[in-house]
Amino acid sequence: MKILLASSEVLDKDCPSNESVRIMNLEKGLRENGNTVEACFYKTPEDLFSKLKSKIIKNESFEKNVLQIKNSFKKVDVQGYDVINPHDVVCAGGFSGNMILSVSGYFSREVIAQSSADKKKKLELYDAAMSVEKSAIMKSKAIIACSRKLKGYISGVFKYPEEKIYVVGNSVDSDMFSPAEKDKVNSIRDEFSFDKQKFMVLIPRIKKVPDNIDKLCRIIDSQKINDAFYVFCGWEDLRSTIEEKVLNKNRCYFVGESLIEQQADLYRASNFVLDTSVYSDIAEINDGQIPLAALKALSSGVVYVCLKNDTYEENFVDGQNMIMLKDFEKEVFELVYQKLTAAGHFMEDIGRNARKLVLSDEKDYSHYANAKKYGKIFEYAITL
């Protein structure tokens, strides 16, 4: 098949957003599955798509920006493509024909979530966003949602036929995020000036607006483990806040929005990856999606430590391919450390099982298997 992927985001290949990563993984996987694929991102120095969800967005500028993005995609030559697969409802407005829309969020809700407008203006903005969302959804031949909850939203709110909505979750580039031998781990730690002998805990930024930072800092300070250190990845805007609150500053390192290759190195050089969403309201963490951070850790053969929730328990096995905690008290954290370091090859076994799970044909976690599932949906949906 000849497939066109599209997104309203401005692509930064070195430090791509989560949505851009999804498209890049899909593009790679579809090609490996024998398809001809092109990816079309919004090309402009100005990131209009992000502005649609800003605090100061007003109805007039919202509609103007949406129209500008739509018009840019109307100019794309789609002749010869079997499938057009836009990854947001805005760029979808510029296409027609064999269009299969991928949806990873609640566009209208996201637009007003950050808005500082008064109640009346916010309602007008919501109506305008809903109009964009509905138009894109209703003209799609089929829809690929990233979670079952999102599928329910699309079928319930927009009355779109449930049988034409498919669910495909996140994936990881299983080539880039892969295990490393000890020598490579030592080399990576040298590059970042990390101690090669100490226990490294990677804390990736999962939520845009993380909460309960106070608790996180207290937990770090409460640890009696002298040979452990913590690497915060993507927390630069909150670095000063964390450094003010945490007492054991010498245990904390900060790495900014690193290049994706550097991210892969950080994961494989870690002893385990800590899911910071354990400090948040579980209901709002990931909407039933497996966070990309989890898939990156599992694919890298590194132990992923998180709080139990329905999403994790449905997809993984505690003590077999990740560690799930009932709570995050300091005693539990220390028990995990002892368990991982004192029980023979326990940690290595979990990492090995995690990597095996990502590469399994039964799951769609790897970029290849995920794209294979997409391809089957494309082949069927265009005949509807």
Side-chain angles (χ1 to χ4, degrees):
M1 282 189 297
K2 188 175 181 181
I3 302 161
L4 177 67
L5 311 177
S7 171
S8 297
E9 289 195 350
V10 176
L11 175 64
D12 181 345
K13 285 190 175 181
D14 293 327
C15 297
S17 67
N18 284 346
E19 186 54 48
S20 294
V21 167
R22 289 188 186 96
I23 297 171
M24 290 165 66
N25 288 347
L26 179 58
E27 180 182 9
K28 178 179 178 179
L30 286 169
R31 284 200 177 117
E32 290 178 0
N33 276 280
N35 299 287
T36 301
V37 190
E38 295 294 333
C40 177
F41 289 82
Y42 185 56
K43 294 180 176 64
T44 175
E46 189 177 13
D47 187 356
L48 294 182
F49 190 63
S50 293
K51 286 188 174 183
L52 297 178
K53 304 175 185 180
S54 70
K55 288 184 178 180
I56 59 172
I57 191 70
K58 295 179 181 178
N59 196 19
E60 299 79 13
S61 54
F62 173 86
E63 292 179 345
K64 179 182 177 183
N65 289 351
V66 166
L67 185 61
Q68 187 169 332
I69 295 171
K70 278 185 181 180
N71 287 340
S72 71
F73 284 99
K74 284 181 179 179
K75 298 175 184 177
V76 176
D77 183 5
V78 297
Q79 189 173 359
Y81 286 102
D82 300 301
V83 177
I84 302 163
N85 178 218
H87 281 249
D88 62 80
V89 296
V90 180
C91 75
F95 297 110
S96 57
N98 280 344
M99 188 179 84
I100 299 172
L101 174 65
S102 289
V103 182
S104 60
Y106 305 80
F107 178 71
S108 302
R109 296 178 186 178
E110 292 166 2
V111 166
I112 64 168
Q114 299 295 324
S115 174
S116 58
D118 60 38
K119 188 174 181 179
K120 182 181 177 182
K121 294 291 184 183
K122 191 174 284 191
L123 184 59
E124 292 175 356
L125 188 58
Y126 181 74
D127 288 342
M130 280 293 285
S131 177
V132 172
E133 196 169 6
K134 182 177 181 180
S135 174
I137 287 170
M138 298 313 294
K139 73 175 184 175
S140 301
K141 293 201 72 170
I143 292 174
I144 300 176
C146 63
S147 72
R148 288 197 301 272
K149 189 173 180 181
L150 191 53
K151 175 179 178 176
Y153 165 78
I154 294 168
S155 63
V157 173
F158 301 100
K159 309 304 177 188
Y160 191 87
E162 190 173 348
E163 66 274 12
K164 293 170 66 176
I165 307 174
Y166 305 86
V167 178
V168 184
N170 287 328
S171 70
V172 61
D173 185 334
S174 50
D175 296 330
M176 180 176 293
F177 288 86
S178 57
E181 298 295 331
K182 185 65 176 177
D183 289 346
K184 177 61 176 176
V185 170
N186 288 337
S187 174
I188 293 169
R189 290 203 181 189
D190 280 339
E191 289 177 21
F192 286 94
S193 299
F194 295 153
D195 194 306
K196 293 194 288 289
Q197 306 304 320
K198 290 187 176 182
F199 197 82
M200 175 175 162
V201 180
L202 179 65
I203 307 178
R205 179 78 165 268
I206 294 177
K207 292 186 67 180
K208 288 184 179 179
V209 187
D211 48 12
N212 289 328
I213 291 176
D214 288 346
K215 184 175 182 181
L216 170 59
C217 294
R218 286 198 303 271
I219 289 173
I220 290 174
D221 283 334
S222 71
Q223 303 314 304
K224 302 179 179 66
I225 308 165
N226 294 320
D227 60 345
F229 64 95
Y230 305 85
V231 178
F232 290 81
C233 182
W235 295 74
E236 280 298 292
D237 58 322
L238 291 170
R239 178 173 182 170
S240 59
T241 302
I242 294 171
E243 287 182 332
E244 284 176 11
K245 295 178 183 296
V246 74
L247 298 176
N248 292 315
K249 296 178 176 57
N250 60 328
R251 290 184 179 181
C252 299
Y253 296 83
F254 291 85
V255 180
E257 291 292 342
S258 53
L259 303 179
I260 194 163
E261 290 84 0
Q262 288 181 329
Q263 283 186 34
D265 282 343
L266 287 170
Y267 275 85
R268 58 169 64 100
S270 304
N271 292 99
F272 72 70
V273 176
L274 177 62
D275 182 349
T276 55
S277 59
V278 296
Y279 310 108
S280 309
D281 176 7
I282 291 300
E284 66 177 37
I285 291 174
N286 53 37
D287 188 37
Q289 299 180 59
I290 300 170
L292 287 171
L295 294 177
K296 290 174 182 178
L298 270 58
S299 185
S300 301
V302 176
V303 178
Y304 191 73
V305 180
C306 59
L307 189 67
K308 278 188 178 180
N309 66 44
D310 292 343
T311 299
Y312 289 134
E313 289 189 284
E314 183 180 332
N315 293 280
F316 307 106
V317 180
D318 180 27
Q320 181 174 316
N321 40 47
M322 68 166 52
I323 295 290
M324 301 182 207
L325 307 176
K326 291 182 179 178
D327 57 60
F328 223 69
E329 297 299 324
K330 58 183 179 181
E331 293 85 2
V332 177
F333 194 102
E334 290 181 2
L335 282 173
V336 169
Y337 173 78
Q338 292 167 9
K339 194 173 185 180
L340 292 177
T341 56
H345 299 288
F346 182 68
M347 186 164 66
E348 289 83 356
D349 289 344
I350 291 180
R352 194 178 300 110
N353 290 338
R355 173 69 177 175
K356 186 177 179 180
L357 182 69
V358 168
L359 297 180
S360 169
D361 290 336
E362 297 176 5
K363 299 292 184 179
D364 53 14
Y365 299 150
S366 75
H367 68 281
Y368 181 85
N370 192 275
K372 189 174 183 179
K373 188 172 182 179
Y374 254 85
K376 288 180 178 178
I377 294 170
F378 288 161
E379 287 177 356
Y380 175 72
I382 59 176
T383 65
L384 296 176

